[in-house]
Amino acid sequence: MENLNQLDTQNGENVVNYVKALRDARKWIGVATIAVMAIAVSGALYLGQYRSEGFLQFGGPIPLPLETLDKDKDPKKDKDKEGNPGIVLADYKRYAAAFSTSERFDAFVQANKLQGVDGIGGLRKAMASGDGFNKMVEPIFPFTKMDAKELMEQPKDGGNNVIGLRISYAAGSAENAQRMVGLLGRYAIDSIIYSNYSDVLRFKHIELSAKITKLDNDIISMNERLEMYQRKGVVLKKIVGSYPEAANKSATSVISVTEDSARYLSPITHLMSGEVEALSTSETIIRLKREQAQSILLREYYDQAKSLLDTNQSGEALLRGLEAVKEGVFKNKNLNDEVVKEVYNMITIDNQRSINLYLEKSRFIAGPTLPEKRNIRLSAVLLLSLLFGFFLSSAIVLLRKWWALNMDGVRP
């Protein structure tokens, strides 16, 4: 019991000694704390980064609906197919999976010879990090959850489209931050173009080859039908010649014609009907042959475009290069032929619309901003450095006192 009392007395004395040491060193603790705060603020100001932001708007429905050669089109359906502005969410996730990889970004940098651009190294490191792209690029929707609650009706298909991208990037200089935001917007559009055209160009040859074969079968079927009408017409003309009196009688008693009652019509009626059907079939054959010839031209164009894709990693360069591919394909073609001219014009319109959508209308409508101040929170830095400096200096004082007591042979 006596030993316990002595131990308590010693502990109490030690606590008093430590408190006195802190009190005696209060000026030094204050100076040390202020010094730590000054170092922390200076480091924050020196290491703080400038953050630039920008809003990139998609200029229309992506992917862009392409022109077709179909003549029998419903204008109302065509209007519905025009689509809503932006990218369907499912398509955006597919694009994001492709252009959020560092490999795709490195290919873009090499294709556009951007290796020497100031600040590109930091952006490449950010892209190489696990979730770097998703932190810098955020999809924007036309309606938020709060908007949907305030609206009388829930937004339909277009409400789920990604209409733009909010892009932000922090760098050591304001100019680099602004430059990299613009580069990220250009990279996003470039990758979307590349993804769209790589999907189209890789499979167009097979699709058009299948279409050409189907049209060939349709032409064969129509030719057989035409031959049938012609044979039938020859026989009917003989019948009309053999029975001129019957041919001159009008079938005014016929109210309706069915498959079973059609055989009882006059030969002249059958002959006229057959000639009309033969004329319609001939027109169908002409239309099918025209469409087949145009499909063959399109297949040749898309084959050359695919070769351009295989040697290119830039979506913008690919899109601009399609005009040269078109001119090469039609260089030796007769553009005075309406069949050829229509395909030529259709490709020209598609390319011009794509350039307008992807490279002209899809643009920054806000930013990239040129930040004036570094992105730091001085209040948080001051508070944390204050606490850290106070506890660090206090710990040093207590450690020195503990060391002095032990050197003097006093047990705590």
Side-chain angles (χ1 to χ4, degrees):
M1 188 69 178
E2 184 178 352
N3 292 333
L4 291 174
N5 291 332
Q6 291 178 355
L7 183 62
D8 291 339
T9 301
Q10 291 178 354
N11 290 335
E13 292 178 355
N14 288 334
V15 171
V16 172
N17 290 332
Y18 290 140
V19 172
K20 288 182 179 179
L22 291 173
R23 184 190 61 188
D24 294 339
R26 61 183 179 275
K27 291 184 179 180
W28 183 87
I29 292 174
V31 172
T33 300
I34 293 174
V36 170
M37 293 174 65
I39 294 172
V41 171
S42 299
L45 291 175
Y46 178 75
L47 298 176
Q49 294 184 317
Y50 294 92
R51 180 171 294 278
S52 175
E53 294 184 348
F55 181 88
L56 178 71
Q57 174 186 266
F58 297 134
I62 296 177
L64 181 68
L66 298 178
E67 293 287 333
T68 64
L69 292 171
D70 296 334
K71 304 301 183 299
D72 302 327
K73 296 190 292 184
D74 186 347
K76 183 178 181 182
K77 291 183 179 180
D78 288 344
K79 187 176 181 180
D80 295 338
K81 289 181 180 179
E82 289 179 1
N84 296 292
I87 306 174
V88 177
L89 182 58
D91 287 338
Y92 175 78
K93 288 183 177 293
R94 180 166 58 88
Y95 299 147
F99 60 63
S100 62
T101 61
S102 59
E103 292 79 9
R104 170 61 193 155
F105 184 74
D106 290 339
F108 169 78
V109 171
Q110 294 176 4
N112 293 276
K113 299 179 181 180
L114 301 173
Q115 295 90 337
V117 174
D118 190 18
I120 196 68
L123 184 55
R124 295 179 84 165
K125 291 180 181 179
M127 288 292 298
S129 63
D131 200 28
F133 184 84
N134 294 330
K135 292 180 180 179
M136 296 182 289
V137 178
E138 177 188 357
I140 303 298
F141 300 92
F143 299 98
T144 64
K145 292 181 179 179
M146 295 299 296
D147 294 331
K149 290 180 180 179
E150 295 177 359
L151 294 174
M152 297 296 293
E153 296 182 2
Q154 294 295 322
K156 297 183 180 179
D157 297 337
N160 294 325
N161 286 4
V162 178
I163 61 171
L165 301 174
R166 180 177 287 113
I167 304 174
S168 63
Y169 183 76
S173 70
E175 292 77 11
N176 281 348
Q178 183 186 45
R179 186 183 302 113
M180 292 304 105
V181 169
L183 186 61
L184 278 171
R186 178 184 169 191
Y187 166 67
I189 289 295
D190 187 276
S191 299
I192 290 172
I193 297 171
Y194 189 83
S195 298
N196 282 335
Y197 277 89
S198 62
D199 290 345
V200 172
L201 298 179
R202 291 185 191 282
F203 304 108
K204 269 297 182 180
H205 176 87
I206 299 175
E207 292 177 0
L208 287 170
S209 296
K211 182 178 181 180
I212 292 168
T213 303
K214 181 180 181 302
L215 289 171
D216 196 28
N217 287 338
D218 291 342
I219 292 171
I220 293 173
S221 177
M222 290 295 104
N223 281 327
E224 291 177 352
R225 182 179 299 181
L226 180 61
E227 291 177 0
M228 180 193 69
Y229 289 137
Q230 290 173 345
R231 292 193 303 269
K232 188 176 178 180
V234 172
V235 175
L236 286 172
K237 287 179 180 178
K238 292 181 179 179
I239 294 174
V240 171
S242 302
Y243 303 97
E245 298 83 2
N248 294 327
K249 293 182 179 179
S250 61
T252 56
S253 60
V254 177
I255 298 177
S256 62
V257 178
T258 63
E259 185 177 354
D260 294 331
S261 63
R263 70 185 69 179
Y264 300 108
L265 294 176
S266 65
I268 191 64
T269 303
H270 278 289
L271 180 59
M272 293 174 60
S273 175
E275 290 181 350
V276 171
E277 292 292 340
L279 177 61
S280 176
T281 304
S282 298
E283 291 297 323
T284 301
I285 292 173
I286 293 173
R287 179 180 60 81
L288 293 176
K289 287 183 177 180
R290 178 189 180 95
E291 189 174 350
Q292 186 182 49
Q294 291 178 330
S295 297
I296 293 173
L297 285 174
L298 282 173
R299 183 176 62 180
E300 182 180 354
Y301 165 75
Y302 281 112
D303 284 348
Q304 295 296 325
K306 184 180 180 299
S307 299
L308 177 64
L309 173 69
D310 294 337
T311 59
N312 207 308
Q313 294 293 323
S314 171
E316 181 178 349
L318 173 65
L319 179 55
R320 295 191 184 278
L322 290 177
E323 275 298 298
V325 171
K326 180 198 70 176
E327 295 299 331
V329 170
F330 289 89
K331 182 178 180 180
N332 298 320
K333 302 294 190 298
N334 181 16
L335 292 180
N336 292 323
D337 185 350
E338 292 184 355
V339 175
V340 177
K341 186 66 174 179
E342 185 178 14
V343 178
Y344 180 88
N345 291 340
M346 184 201 72
I347 295 173
T348 301
I349 292 171
D350 284 343
N351 292 342
Q352 290 175 348
R353 292 176 65 206
S354 296
I355 290 175
N356 186 43
L357 170 64
Y358 294 116
L359 304 181
E360 301 295 337
K361 288 185 177 180
S362 296
R363 58 187 179 84
F364 281 98
I365 61 172
T369 58
L370 182 64
E372 298 180 356
K373 298 180 180 179
R374 294 181 184 270
N375 187 31
I376 56 175
R377 297 178 60 185
L378 283 178
S379 59
V381 173
L382 288 171
L383 178 60
L384 291 175
S385 61
L386 171 64
L387 296 175
F388 178 76
F390 175 76
F391 285 111
L392 177 63
S393 57
S394 299
I396 292 174
V397 171
L398 293 175
L399 182 62
R400 292 181 60 188
K401 185 63 179 178
W402 177 85
W403 183 263
L405 292 175
N406 278 274
M407 291 299 98
D408 292 341
V410 179
R411 300 293 180 184

XYZ file of all heavy atoms in Angstrom, residues 143-151:
74
model
N -32.351 16.518 -68.237
C -33.194 16.639 -67.056
C -32.500 15.975 -65.876
O -31.975 14.868 -65.995
C -34.558 15.979 -67.267
C -35.369 16.570 -68.379
C -35.391 15.980 -69.625
C -36.099 17.726 -68.179
C -36.122 16.518 -70.662
C -36.837 18.284 -69.207
C -36.851 17.678 -70.453
N -32.496 16.668 -64.746
C -32.006 16.072 -63.509
C -33.180 15.455 -62.754
O -34.342 15.583 -63.164
C -31.338 17.133 -62.629
O -32.330 18.120 -62.240
C -30.214 17.822 -63.393
N -32.885 14.805 -61.653
C -33.960 14.224 -60.850
C -34.885 15.310 -60.302
O -36.101 15.130 -60.224
C -33.362 13.414 -59.696
C -32.635 12.154 -60.145
C -32.102 11.390 -58.955
C -31.400 10.112 -59.423
N -30.850 9.346 -58.264
N -34.323 16.462 -59.947
C -35.142 17.561 -59.442
C -36.037 18.107 -60.545
O -37.208 18.429 -60.310
C -34.241 18.667 -58.892
C -33.438 18.265 -57.677
S -34.501 17.808 -56.282
C -35.316 19.372 -55.980
N -35.509 18.179 -61.770
C -36.327 18.654 -62.893
C -37.497 17.712 -63.140
O -38.627 18.144 -63.408
C -35.474 18.753 -64.161
C -34.408 19.826 -64.047
O -34.649 20.799 -63.309
O -33.352 19.678 -64.684
N -37.232 16.414 -63.072
C -38.281 15.435 -63.329
C -39.401 15.537 -62.294
O -40.571 15.330 -62.607
C -37.687 14.025 -63.335
N -39.056 15.885 -61.056
C -40.082 16.017 -60.018
C -40.960 17.246 -60.257
O -42.149 17.241 -59.946
C -39.414 16.119 -58.647
C -38.759 14.820 -58.193
C -38.126 14.996 -56.822
C -37.466 13.705 -56.365
N -36.813 13.867 -55.038
N -40.372 18.296 -60.808
C -41.122 19.530 -61.018
C -41.971 19.507 -62.278
O -42.930 20.272 -62.394
C -40.149 20.712 -61.084
C -39.418 20.962 -59.768
C -38.415 22.090 -59.880
O -38.307 22.648 -60.997
O -37.763 22.416 -58.884
N -41.629 18.647 -63.241
C -42.373 18.601 -64.486
C -43.699 17.874 -64.303
O -43.823 16.947 -63.505
C -41.549 17.899 -65.572
C -40.264 18.638 -66.012
C -39.470 17.774 -66.968
C -40.617 19.964 -66.662
